[in-house]
Amino acid sequence: VKGHNGEWVEIIRYITPYGIACDHTIDLTDFMSLLQGKVTFRINYVTFAGGFDYNLRLDYRTGTPEYKYSNVEVLWNETFEFGDYSNLQPVPTLNVQHPENAVTSKLKLVSTGHGWYGNGVQNNTANAAEFYEATHNIWVNGVETFDQYNWLTCSPNPDGCNNQAGTWTFPRAGWCPGAIAPWFDFD
């Protein structure tokens, strides 16, 4: 979605299913500040065969948010090499200052190994992107604070998109064919 400041924010990372159509649902409440007024969406789509017809429907439901105001700030929106033993810290350190009036904050992290293998990555040890079971560590103020166990069981499919063609049943690093990649929320 294009934020009101003109910056693009990834709100859904969806990995297309293998050979069948599926429906999915996701709660986008954390992005409510971006989904008000006139909103522009775009889809970044890569396919190796055929095509897809995407339909996006937003159902706005009445409710009382936990906080009256919210804001979304993009910290990273990049691809980082994973599996290179000579570079075990590929994600740059960030210094983030909370606004003085902030009551709470949440780090929303989505990371997948999707699309890595064979894309010119030279140091993809042990096919570390797509099929490497790993835990990523998030440090805050110099202390290991959060762990992201980035591994999903794909059969049954977490979004109910079962009986696909091909290798959809194999577990993967942060994604499954025919599913929305899950956000990890760290308070």
Side-chain angles (χ1 to χ4, degrees):
V1 66
K2 190 172 190 178
H4 301 291
N5 63 358
E7 182 178 22
W8 287 100
V9 179
E10 180 180 42
I11 60 172
I12 301 170
R13 181 173 296 183
Y14 175 65
I15 311 301
T16 54
Y18 293 174
I20 63 172
C22 295
D23 293 317
H24 308 278
T25 301
I26 186 171
D27 182 348
L28 297 174
T29 302
D30 287 341
F31 299 99
M32 67 181 177
S33 65
L34 301 172
L35 299 174
Q36 298 179 30
K38 186 175 182 179
V39 180
T40 302
F41 293 94
R42 74 176 179 199
I43 295 175
N44 294 330
Y45 169 70
V46 176
T47 185
F48 300 105
F52 291 88
D53 179 21
Y54 288 96
N55 293 295
L56 175 66
R57 187 182 83 213
L58 299 178
D59 294 323
Y60 290 85
R61 299 192 181 146
T62 302
T64 304
E66 188 174 357
Y67 300 98
K68 187 174 180 180
Y69 301 101
S70 68
N71 183 52
V72 174
E73 180 182 348
V74 176
L75 302 179
W76 300 282
N77 188 18
E78 302 173 46
T79 299
F80 299 103
E81 289 191 12
F82 175 62
D84 178 359
Y85 290 115
S86 67
N87 182 14
L88 295 177
Q89 179 55 44
V91 179
T93 300
L94 291 178
N95 292 311
V96 177
Q97 297 297 319
H98 291 278
E100 192 174 295
N101 60 349
V103 176
T104 188
S105 66
K106 182 188 300 183
L107 174 65
K108 293 186 78 64
L109 179 63
V110 62
S111 57
T112 64
H114 183 258
W116 259 61
Y117 188 74
N119 286 348
V121 177
Q122 301 301 314
N123 298 309
N124 190 8
T125 306
N127 197 13
E130 295 196 24
F131 298 106
Y132 188 79
E133 186 174 352
T135 299
H136 303 287
N137 309 108
I138 295 100
W139 292 60
V140 178
N141 294 329
V143 177
E144 185 178 318
T145 307
F146 305 114
D147 294 322
Q148 179 200 29
Y149 179 60
N150 200 32
W151 191 246
L152 292 175
T153 299
C154 295
S155 181
N157 183 280
D159 283 7
C161 185
N162 295 303
N163 302 318
Q164 300 176 45
T167 62
W168 70 273
T169 59
F170 296 126
R172 289 172 164 87
W175 68 284
C176 291
I180 295 173
W183 290 98
F184 289 80
D185 290 336
F186 301 108
D187 185 352

